Amino acid sequence: MTAPTPEAAHAALESHLQEIVNWHFSPETGSPFWLNWAAKAGWDPRTEIKTVADLQKFPHFEDEWLRDLQPEVWVPKAFAGRPFNIFETGGTTGMPKQRIGWDDYKVDYSEFSDKISDEHFPRNHYWLMMGPTGPRRLRLAIEHLANVRGSACYFIDLDPRWVKRLITNKHFDQAKAYMEHVVDQAANILKHRKVSGLFTTPKLLEALAERVNIWDAGIRGVFCGGTTMLPQYTRFIVEEVLENRIGFYPTYGNTLMGLAASVPLTPADQFSITYYAPQPRAILRVVDPENTATTVDYDAWGRVELTTLTREFFMPRFLERDEAIRRRPRGQYAWDGVAEVRPFGAMQKTIVEGVY
Amino acid sequence: METLSLDTLPHLPALRRGRPYDSLEKSEIVDHSTGKVVAVVSQVNAGILKKDLQRIDEGRAALRKFTVAELIEISAKAGELFLEGTLPLGDRGHTQSADEYVRTLSGTSGLPHVMVRRNMAKIHYALTHVGTVLNGLTRGLPLEVIDRGYGEQSGAAVSYYPTTQALGLVMPSNSPAVNSLWLPAIALKTPVVIKPGREEPWTPYRLIQAFIAAGAPPEAFGFYPTDHEGAGEVMRLCGRALIFGDANTVAQYRDNPKFSVHGPGFSKILLGEDCVEQWPEYIELMAASIAENGGRSCVNASAVVVPRYGKEIAEALAQKLGPVTPLRSDDEGAKLSGFANPKMADYIDSAIEDGLKVNGAEDVTARYRHGERKAIFEGGTFLRPTIVRCDSFSHPLANREFLCPYASVVEVAQSEMLGQIGASLVVTAITKDEAFTSQLLDSPLIERLNLGPISTMKISWDQPHEGNMFEFLYKRRSIERA
């Protein structure tokens, strides 16, 4: 695939941005939430948002809006009457953030299919997902990805909210037992069924590899996401869990963004993984936490800011609970990447991540 | 601020079955007074430990190629190299002489040179007397029995089998001599899996290098600087493990035969009715028992229990120890150890102050200290000696142990002493009273008993005072051969 130039990618992004802003703020197509918002704000994004820099005119998207409001306020008029999926975010307790959707996950994961090799994920075969299913977009997304490649997928669920609660309450034995329960089920599937592709979280992958030789079990490719993967841990996964012979595809994503793929690691990377947003449908910026209008320099740490730009969902300048290193455009990605993503404030305090 | 290149500093790699492993994640070891980084240490994740422990039998197999007698020889040679030799320091071409070891460990731990040398001497003695130690631990078992797995002792058939493929060690940072506890394991053909203390990787690393230079197989040594999860795996996956911790840790693990737990010693000096009138003769001994090694050992006395003259004894000890101040680390007269982690000093200082708020205790040293207990000297943090007179053993400061020269002085009638002192690693009982001696000998609360004016710091290598390493690593079975 030929990579666009950064200038071409930027032009395409701004064109897409204008289209999406027009869509969400036009009475014929827009959602009740954004139409009401614009009426109260007293300015018309359709005329004022022309460039990515103009996005600064929006305040940070508030996650409470996704918790407190009923889902129908997010339905663009053009989608009215079409039943939607309600997806929820990761492992928090209390009322979760919800995002509605129709086809976005299929678009994201169909595109991602082009980034994984047939050698690692043979077509017309079987996959296993061991991780958070339930109300998460990921569950349908993985199945769609397998289907796009002519494959079917087995599922083992892990409830990250329960794991977080166990760890927060220091019920480590129960957390361990639950993890073993999850891994038991996956080992059982691998024992009795032919599976070549695996989606899981790093910790569950490590635990599964302690139970079964995953190469001998037929796994050729692992698609991983979830908890922090610092360089040394990534190296451990690549060299010792996957023994340098199983394809490894780390990803960063969530229900609000979609899927940020990583570029293949080279020796110069020293196992530092860089992820690239599925631009133009999403933009990731690494910003100064004290002054979020400022993007940090390349190779500096900052807080991750996400803007989602699809016809189904518009979410400007959402501050993720993650921090990362800003990286330069690379390979097929003509825009900035985010590297070594970890929970925001990880250096200052202990964050409960659990196995997800 | 001085700019340091981390690439030119010594780097201690993890040792994975003896093989150096340069992790992408490294911690920095800093000088306790200047804050300057003096080395970096590779940190490994728990998964690496799990991977390696799956193959730990290779370490044991490598040791099995030697006889116990040969391994005793190797240990002795390692002892000389540890004490005098120049040994590899990490994987960037650095070496470390004995003097450099003293200076470096002193700089990062806060222990004055004189104390580091004393700790070195203890380790050296332990390594050069492994044969004597094993003779004591095994009660004279012919060493060939361990080589062959069976044999005869005193005319009876005996057979011993190893209880574990490896000895796990979750080491503390506070006193290098605790490493002497694991040294007999090598002669007992048991590989070691060491998680060093965060601030004290030096001693276990140097010991491993000394062993390897002396001819021990590298596969027998694991050196895994790791996090809490990794430490948990060392304990979970090694069939036997030594753990060091506080009273809570001890309570958590003491009933599990997999673990040998080393916590506070609550060591004490008891003065009998028959000797109490001569108390001034024992002040030197008491002060040394309290303050030697910076008061950091579990064998340091942390309480002086007397039937009478509590006030006078506390006063005399305070007069002797109260004026002690921090000195430069290379001063031969240095008696206090700095804190690598100043927060620990803050915690101890406030714990003592909190205790003093409870009626019935007085910090007698305060009158002789001419300053605060916590002292900053040349950038380092120190705690000066503290003698607290308590009016009963139920006072919260009466039976405490801190990582500094600290002791309570409590008056208790001799007839009630054994009912009140609680578990004590070392008890020095200054008495000639046959009945009292008999009660002391019968007491299950005392791990090591010194009868007469003997410092609590004195230990005998051929007599285990804190668990028997041979019985920990080997178990006897019944055997019959046709």
Side-chain angles (χ1 to χ4, degrees):
Chain A
M1 193 192 301
T2 311
T5 63
E7 293 74 24
H10 194 75
L13 174 62
E14 294 202 330
S15 165
H16 179 79
L17 168 67
Q18 289 166 29
E19 181 203 326
I20 295 302
V21 169
N22 270 324
W23 174 271
H24 285 281
F25 290 93
S26 296
E28 303 77 39
T29 50
S31 65
F33 176 85
W34 285 117
L35 293 172
N36 286 339
W37 185 90
K40 282 184 197 160
W43 58 279
D44 187 351
R46 287 176 298 176
T47 56
E48 297 205 27
I49 304 295
K50 298 296 179 195
T51 68
V52 173
D54 292 338
L55 277 169
Q56 297 295 325
K57 294 177 183 174
F58 284 105
H60 290 298
F61 186 92
E62 293 176 27
D63 56 1
E64 295 309 314
W65 294 336
L66 295 175
R67 288 198 175 95
D68 297 345
L69 302 177
Q70 296 298 316
E72 58 269 19
V73 305
W74 301 102
V75 177
K77 196 165 181 185
F79 287 87
R82 255 187 91 183
F84 48 78
N85 300 115
I86 302 173
F87 298 120
E88 295 185 354
T89 55
T92 49
T93 50
M95 186 63 198
K97 292 195 284 286
Q98 294 174 329
R99 171 193 174 174
I100 63 168
W102 290 266
D103 299 319
D104 272 357
Y105 74 88
K106 293 178 187 169
V107 175
D108 282 335
Y109 282 72
S110 293
E111 183 181 281
F112 181 66
S113 177
D114 296 336
K115 294 169 183 162
I116 60 179
S117 81
D118 290 356
E119 177 198 351
H120 298 136
F121 294 93
R123 292 181 187 269
N124 308 312
H125 206 257
Y126 292 94
W127 285 42
L128 170 66
M129 174 183 177
M130 171 171 56
T133 62
R136 274 157 216 94
R137 201 177 99 123
L138 194 60
R139 188 255 182 259
L140 289 181
I142 298 289
E143 187 157 44
H144 174 76
L145 176 60
N147 292 165
V148 163
R149 301 178 67 79
S151 302
C153 188
Y154 300 98
F155 289 91
I156 308 292
D157 181 42
L158 174 128
D159 179 356
R161 296 174 190 168
W162 181 237
V163 174
K164 267 199 174 179
R165 183 179 288 196
L166 291 173
I167 292 174
T168 303
N169 294 334
K170 301 192 188 305
H171 295 150
F172 301 116
D173 286 352
Q174 286 184 47
K176 193 160 171 281
Y178 180 52
M179 193 155 150
E180 280 171 11
H181 167 64
V182 171
V183 171
D184 279 349
Q185 296 172 74
N188 203 30
I189 292 284
L190 292 183
K191 186 176 172 189
H192 295 288
R193 294 288 182 267
K194 294 172 190 168
V195 177
S196 54
L198 173 66
F199 172 85
T200 190
T201 67
K203 283 283 181 195
L204 286 171
L205 173 64
E206 189 186 335
L208 181 65
E210 284 164 21
R211 293 282 300 279
V212 293
N213 181 314
I214 55 177
W215 171 272
D216 291 348
I219 299 296
R220 294 295 176 268
V222 172
F223 161 32
C224 227
T227 46
T228 309
M229 273 186 276
L230 296 179
Q232 173 58 27
Y233 191 68
T234 305
R235 175 187 177 193
F236 167 69
I237 294 286
V238 170
E239 291 181 347
E240 314 214 16
V241 175
L242 304 179
E243 299 172 336
N244 285 316
R245 57 180 177 168
I246 295 173
F248 184 50
Y249 296 83
T251 57
Y252 169 55
N254 57 40
T255 295
L256 303 181
M257 171 175 66
L259 182 75
S262 56
V263 285
L265 289 166
T266 67
D269 291 324
Q270 291 277 295
F271 295 95
S272 173
I273 304 169
T274 303
Y275 305 98
Y276 289 88
Q279 209 166 293
R281 299 187 306 283
I283 308 169
L284 286 175
R285 278 175 74 223
V286 184
V287 302
D288 178 348
E290 301 300 318
N291 176 16
T292 56
T294 307
T295 305
V296 300
D297 292 337
Y298 285 116
D299 303 318
W301 283 93
R303 186 165 180 178
V304 178
E305 183 203 83
L306 166 68
T307 293
T308 303
L309 299 167
T310 74
R311 289 190 170 197
E312 296 180 10
F313 188 50
F314 173 63
M315 188 183 70
R317 303 187 65 216
F318 176 69
L319 285 173
E320 292 279 9
R321 291 179 185 169
D322 290 325
E323 59 192 16
I325 301 171
R326 182 186 176 203
R327 293 276 198 236
R328 288 183 165 74
R330 176 168 160 184
Q332 61 186 292
Y333 303 102
W335 49 90
D336 287 356
V338 299
E340 299 188 26
V341 182
R342 65 188 185 196
F344 182 61
M347 292 300 281
Q348 278 78 43
K349 57 182 188 282
T350 305
I351 310 280
V352 175
E353 282 198 282
V355 292
Y356 178 61
Chain B
M1 190 174 152
E2 189 179 357
T3 307
L4 291 156
S5 168
L6 294 182
D7 293 338
T8 56
L9 289 172
H11 164 245
L12 301 190
L15 297 174
R16 304 181 61 182
R17 291 178 294 114
R19 282 203 300 274
Y21 180 81
D22 184 353
S23 170
L24 296 172
E25 194 178 324
K26 295 181 176 70
S27 65
E28 296 173 348
I29 310 291
V30 299
D31 185 282
H32 87 107
S33 59
T34 64
K36 186 176 150 188
V37 180
V38 297
V40 289
V41 181
S42 270
Q43 299 288 312
V44 298
N45 54 294
I48 280 183
L49 272 152
K50 285 188 250 183
K51 273 269 168 190
D52 289 0
L53 284 166
Q54 286 170 1
R55 294 175 58 187
I56 195 65
D57 51 336
E58 292 173 23
R60 185 167 197 94
L63 284 170
R64 280 185 69 102
K65 291 178 185 159
F66 296 84
T67 63
V68 174
E70 287 168 335
L71 291 168
I72 289 171
E73 283 298 308
I74 286 173
S75 299
K77 200 171 161 195
E80 301 303 340
L81 288 166
F82 176 79
L83 188 69
E84 306 281 359
T86 295
L87 293 164
L89 180 71
D91 57 359
R92 291 179 180 166
H94 296 88
T95 57
Q96 185 188 59
S97 68
D99 282 345
E100 284 166 338
Y101 164 76
V102 172
R103 282 199 300 275
T104 312
L105 177 55
S106 172
T108 58
S109 69
L111 282 173
H113 295 196
V114 62
M115 284 185 210
V116 175
R117 285 206 197 87
R118 240 174 259 153
N119 279 271
M120 279 178 95
K122 276 185 193 169
I123 289 171
H124 171 256
Y125 186 91
L127 276 171
T128 51
H129 291 77
V130 170
T132 311
V133 172
L134 291 188
N135 188 55
L137 298 181
T138 64
R139 301 179 190 90
L141 182 75
L143 300 177
E144 299 76 30
V145 173
I146 300 169
D147 291 328
R148 288 194 301 165
Y150 66 94
E152 274 196 11
Q153 184 179 23
S154 307
V158 286
S159 173
Y160 285 90
Y161 63 94
T163 55
T164 180
Q165 291 293 319
L167 174 65
L169 298 144
V170 179
M171 300 299 291
S173 289
N174 58 8
S175 189
V178 294
N179 284 280
S180 56
L181 287 169
W182 62 263
L183 301 177
I186 299 303
L188 289 169
K189 305 187 181 187
T190 308
V192 288
V193 176
I194 303 174
K195 182 223 170 272
R198 192 171 172 82
E199 285 119 19
E200 215 280 84
W202 309 108
T203 307
Y205 194 86
R206 184 172 170 84
L207 279 166
I208 291 170
Q209 297 306 320
F211 266 114
I212 293 171
E219 305 94 293
F221 300 93
F223 177 79
Y224 296 94
T226 183
D227 55 14
H228 188 70
E229 185 187 357
E233 293 302 332
V234 171
M235 286 159 57
R236 190 173 71 85
L237 295 171
C238 293
R240 291 285 186 272
L242 297 191
I243 312 167
F244 301 83
D246 59 14
N248 289 336
T249 309
V250 173
Q252 193 179 346
Y253 295 108
R254 73 176 157 213
D255 295 329
N256 188 329
K258 266 184 75 173
F259 303 119
S260 173
V261 197
H262 300 258
F266 301 115
S267 298
K268 298 174 180 77
I269 294 174
L270 273 49
L271 202 47
E273 277 280 0
D274 56 326
C275 295
V276 74
E277 294 297 335
Q278 292 83 48
W279 64 264
E281 291 174 26
Y282 307 119
I283 290 298
E284 282 291 335
L285 173 88
M286 291 174 186
S289 295
I290 293 164
E292 263 183 27
N293 201 37
R296 292 196 156 196
S297 305
C298 50
V299 292
N300 277 115
S302 53
V304 176
V305 188
V306 296
R308 291 188 302 284
Y309 300 113
K311 183 166 179 260
E312 291 79 359
I313 290 169
E315 201 73 26
L317 286 171
Q319 257 179 32
K320 187 161 184 58
L321 294 174
V324 172
T325 55
L327 296 174
R328 288 179 59 95
S329 61
D330 57 358
D331 191 312
E332 287 299 311
K335 290 189 169 58
L336 300 180
S337 181
F339 281 81
N341 179 0
K343 284 183 185 161
M344 176 65 81
D346 290 336
Y347 163 76
I348 292 171
D349 194 33
S350 62
I352 295 172
E353 286 304 313
D354 286 348
L356 289 168
K357 288 175 190 158
V358 179
N359 282 341
E362 184 201 358
D363 178 358
V364 190
T365 20
R367 294 203 291 274
Y368 300 95
R369 200 185 282 129
H370 310 300
E372 298 295 312
R373 182 180 301 111
K374 192 177 90 170
I376 308 293
F377 176 73
E378 295 194 343
T381 305
F382 296 78
L383 287 177
R384 297 178 60 195
T386 302
I387 300 295
V388 173
R389 184 168 179 241
C390 296
D391 63 4
S392 84
F393 224 82
S394 61
H395 190 279
L397 285 177
N399 198 20
R400 291 297 297 272
E401 178 170 313
F402 298 108
L403 212 56
C404 61
Y406 170 89
S408 65
V409 179
V410 194
E411 280 185 15
V412 178
Q414 180 179 298
S415 59
E416 294 172 18
M417 283 182 186
L418 287 173
Q420 294 199 25
I421 61 169
S424 309
L425 180 60
V426 181
V427 164
T428 284
I430 302 175
T431 181
K432 290 176 186 147
D433 179 335
E434 289 295 329
F436 188 35
T437 301
S438 179
Q439 286 167 9
L440 288 159
L441 285 166
D442 281 349
S443 172
L445 297 169
I446 303 167
E447 288 281 323
R448 177 183 166 89
L449 178 61
N450 294 324
L451 291 168
I454 299 165
S455 167
T456 59
M457 298 296 284
K458 180 174 166 49
I459 48 174
S460 310
W461 292 102
D462 56 349
Q463 295 184 71
H465 67 275
E466 218 180 350
N468 181 322
M469 182 59 79
F470 175 67
E471 289 171 0
F472 192 51
L473 297 178
Y474 282 83
K475 202 163 176 198
R476 190 174 173 192
R477 68 151 69 83
S478 172
I479 192 165
E480 199 69 51
R481 281 172 68 93

